[in-house]
Amino acid sequence: TFARHSSAPVLNLESNAFHPCQGLADMATLRELLGEPAGKRYVLSWAWHPKALPVATPHSQLLAAADSGMHITVVRPEGYDLAPEVLTAARERAEALGGSLEETSDLESGYRGAHIVCAKSWGRLGAYGRPAEEARPSQDLRARWIVDEDKLARTDGARFLHRLPVRRNVIVSDGVLDSPRSAVVQQAENRLWSAAALLSDRLGA
């Protein structure tokens, strides 16, 4: 709506549904880490958080992996599905480039063979707008759904991503976050360069 009525370029810096600037930064990071991401395995893993968070960032991170032709696994507890229409679009876009998308609540199999593990918390869509109700069922998930050394040991030498800031030993353990397999600083820096490239393109600089 803004774009329709504006005479100047309008950039989405995050809405309820999407965070496209984060998606661009993640695509740049995937290429830096993997060279050619197509055909590699990408895990988008839900993580516990003390309050309900929006789905905008995981939606755009999912689409970034799909548009990179990756084999994607969304690992989340039962009841924490992302928006069906976004999952459908991501699956179609991934398959068009030789990739795939699956969902699972099985932490053991979900991480297996991954080259990238991206952690993000999001709330239950069915409880959207009711954070107190949303938070109650997830308390018992806290210990199991942290990204730690044991989970990364099931991967194919995966690099760890998170958009930052991150809660230490809640979303990810210190042992993962401070290890050479963590690429979170590189990912955060790419928010600068991808945004600069976008502005340069949109503003004709």
Side-chain angles (χ1 to χ4, degrees), residues 73-85:
T73 303
V74 180
V75 186
R76 79 291 180 268
E78 295 292 341
Y80 283 83
D81 303 283
L82 293 170
E85 63 274 17

Side-chain angles (χ1 to χ4, degrees), residues 16-63:
N16 282 345
F18 296 105
H19 193 343
C21 289
Q22 185 64 50
L24 286 175
D26 280 24
M27 289 185 79
T29 308
L30 292 173
R31 292 184 182 280
E32 288 177 351
L33 294 175
L34 301 175
E36 176 48 69
K40 302 291 179 64
R41 291 187 54 79
Y42 176 98
V43 169
L44 178 61
S45 180
W46 183 89
W48 186 87
H49 194 278
K51 64 180 181 179
L53 296 180
V55 293
T57 294
H59 278 171
S60 289
Q61 290 178 319
L62 175 64
L63 292 170

Side-chain angles (χ1 to χ4, degrees), residues 93-179:
R93 286 155 67 165
E95 290 175 353
L97 295 171
S100 61
L101 188 151
E102 63 177 344
E103 301 171 82
T104 184
S105 58
D106 185 344
L107 283 165
E108 181 67 35
S109 64
Y111 276 69
R112 194 169 297 136
H115 300 100
I116 297 288
V117 171
C118 181
K120 186 69 182 76
S121 180
W122 61 86
R124 291 187 299 119
L125 290 175
Y128 181 77
R130 303 190 299 278
E133 176 186 334
E134 191 284 331
R136 283 196 300 271
S138 69
Q139 293 291 335
D140 62 334
L141 302 174
R142 177 171 181 168
R144 289 187 64 233
W145 287 85
I146 184 174
V147 179
D148 56 20
E149 295 91 325
D150 288 342
K151 292 185 183 69
L152 248 60
R154 302 169 194 163
T155 71
D156 186 5
R159 303 297 300 274
F160 174 75
L161 298 180
H162 186 279
R163 59 163 283 180
L164 297 185
V166 66
R167 290 176 182 257
R168 286 177 173 269
N169 301 309
V170 175
I171 301 289
V172 57
S173 68
D174 283 341
V176 171
L177 187 61
D178 296 329
S179 77

Side-chain angles (χ1 to χ4, degrees), residues 184-198:
V184 297
V185 175
Q186 181 177 347
Q187 181 186 10
E189 182 184 6
N190 280 333
R191 283 285 282 112
L192 168 64
W193 300 116
S194 58
L198 176 62

